[in-house]
Amino acid sequence: MDLKSKIKKTIINLFARIKKSDDSRCIFYHDIHSDNKFTHMSTSVDLFIKHINIIQDLGFEIVHEITKEKKQIAISFDDGFKGVYENIEVINRLKIPVTIFVVSSFLGRDNFLNNNNLQEIAKNEFIDIQSHSHSHVELSNLDSNTLHEELQKSKEILESICKNKINSICFPKGMFNRLVIKKALELGYEKQFSSLPGSYYANIFAPSSQDNCFLSVRRRSLVQFSEENEFRSILNGGDTILYNWYYKKHFVR
């Protein structure tokens, strides 16, 4: 572990002792693996199960959609790698509702879900499929017309395959701006998920604006490599102290 990571973990652990939060929050991964590993961002099934045990030990309820300010956790996976599909028995056995944010143009590529895989798991009661854009570009770099096409195409493809409503999106690479939020809302993405840590119901506001559109953006904490102590600290709100740093990194003015 490098020095930067050690400092970050120390800060999160210390702040968790002060914060002691039981606020509802979203956490996210990229994939899980047992035998086959489809991305370097994948989490071992063993570590994932440890995370689930910690969530339950702390008295949180794992849900598809957060409806309470306290004690609920929503779990998601970004990109649509194949590991969740190959390890679906873990999801089924533990009865864990999860959302998979799929990049629609990645379907059928090596290491990713294909159309048949997606169609199959979309019928699983524990799986919700939503959008991670069509081509995983930084949405904040796109002009209005290109952005419209990127968001609409993803929605149309995923709804056609899954036969479910696609009404949420998470921002590729965490990058977003006002135009991204407003365009997503216009196209029916009622919720947008960032990579900014914090409580689910904590609002995200630009420093110079109180735009209502920001109310649709939700915070999420990346936990894919978190060891048990760090993971527990994140659930207790420890990574909230890093919010401003992530905000400066991901929100494009």
Side-chain angles (χ1 to χ4, degrees):
M1 185 190 305
D2 60 30
L3 181 60
K4 184 178 177 181
S5 296
K6 287 181 180 179
I7 293 172
K8 180 180 173 183
K9 287 184 179 182
T10 300
I11 291 171
I12 289 172
N13 290 336
L14 288 174
F15 191 69
R17 296 178 187 178
I18 300 168
K19 186 78 171 170
K20 294 180 181 178
S21 171
D22 62 354
D23 288 349
S24 297
R25 64 187 61 247
C26 299
I27 60 174
F28 74 104
Y29 304 80
H30 281 85
D31 204 16
I32 53 175
H33 67 271
S34 47
D35 297 328
N36 300 317
K37 190 174 182 180
F38 296 102
T39 170
H40 68 279
M41 298 179 289
S42 185
T43 303
S44 72
V45 165
D46 289 343
L47 180 58
F48 182 68
I49 291 173
K50 287 178 182 177
H51 284 183
I52 299 304
N53 290 337
I54 291 170
I55 291 170
Q56 294 171 340
D57 287 346
L58 291 176
F60 285 91
E61 176 190 14
I62 303 172
V63 296
H64 267 311
E65 184 174 354
I66 290 174
T67 57
K68 300 176 182 177
E69 290 190 10
K70 302 288 184 181
K71 289 292 186 180
Q72 288 186 332
I73 294 289
I75 297 173
S76 57
F77 291 86
D78 287 6
D79 295 342
F81 289 103
K82 213 167 184 177
V84 175
Y85 176 80
E86 285 205 349
N87 294 280
I88 196 68
E89 75 281 354
V90 176
I91 304 296
N92 291 335
R93 175 166 53 85
L94 298 176
K95 299 181 179 180
I96 307 165
V98 302
T99 297
I100 304 177
F101 288 105
V102 174
V103 181
S104 49
S105 71
F106 288 2
L107 291 168
R109 292 188 187 180
D110 290 345
N111 299 329
F112 291 90
L113 299 168
N114 60 38
N115 289 17
N116 290 336
N117 300 151
L118 187 62
Q119 195 170 47
E120 181 182 339
I121 63 173
K123 298 174 183 176
N124 188 307
E125 63 178 310
F126 300 114
I127 305 293
D128 182 30
I129 303 297
Q130 295 297 332
S131 172
H132 196 26
S133 81
H134 178 61
S135 54
H136 204 265
V137 294
E138 292 185 15
L139 300 177
S140 53
N141 287 340
L142 304 180
D143 61 55
S144 182
N145 289 337
T146 309
L147 178 60
H148 183 100
E149 183 179 348
E150 176 76 17
L151 298 179
Q152 186 176 50
K153 194 168 186 178
S154 174
K155 186 179 178 69
E156 288 175 352
I157 290 171
L158 295 177
E159 287 184 342
S160 174
I161 295 170
C162 300
K163 310 302 181 187
N164 294 328
K165 185 178 181 182
I166 303 299
N167 57 8
S168 297
I169 187 169
C170 71
F171 306 129
K173 304 176 186 177
M175 304 300 292
F176 68 108
N177 58 18
R178 287 185 186 83
L179 178 61
V180 170
I181 300 169
K182 290 178 178 179
K183 184 62 68 175
L185 284 170
E186 287 174 14
L187 290 170
Y189 293 103
E190 298 164 7
K191 293 177 185 174
Q192 300 100 45
F193 291 86
S194 69
S195 300
L196 308 178
S199 304
Y200 179 81
Y201 285 106
N203 293 332
I204 295 173
F205 294 106
S208 60
S209 173
Q210 299 292 312
D211 293 344
N212 287 336
C213 69
F214 280 81
L215 298 176
S216 64
V217 181
R218 302 300 180 185
R219 304 189 189 193
R220 291 191 309 162
S221 296
L222 181 63
V223 298
Q224 61 195 21
F225 299 137
S226 297
E227 297 172 356
E228 292 170 77
N229 286 340
E230 183 189 9
F231 183 73
R232 194 178 293 268
S233 293
I234 288 171
L235 295 190
N236 287 328
D239 65 340
T240 306
I241 195 170
L242 303 175
Y243 171 80
N244 288 334
W245 181 77
Y246 277 99
Y247 184 91
K248 290 176 182 177
K249 235 178 113 175
H250 290 139
F251 179 71
V252 181
R253 293 165 183 78

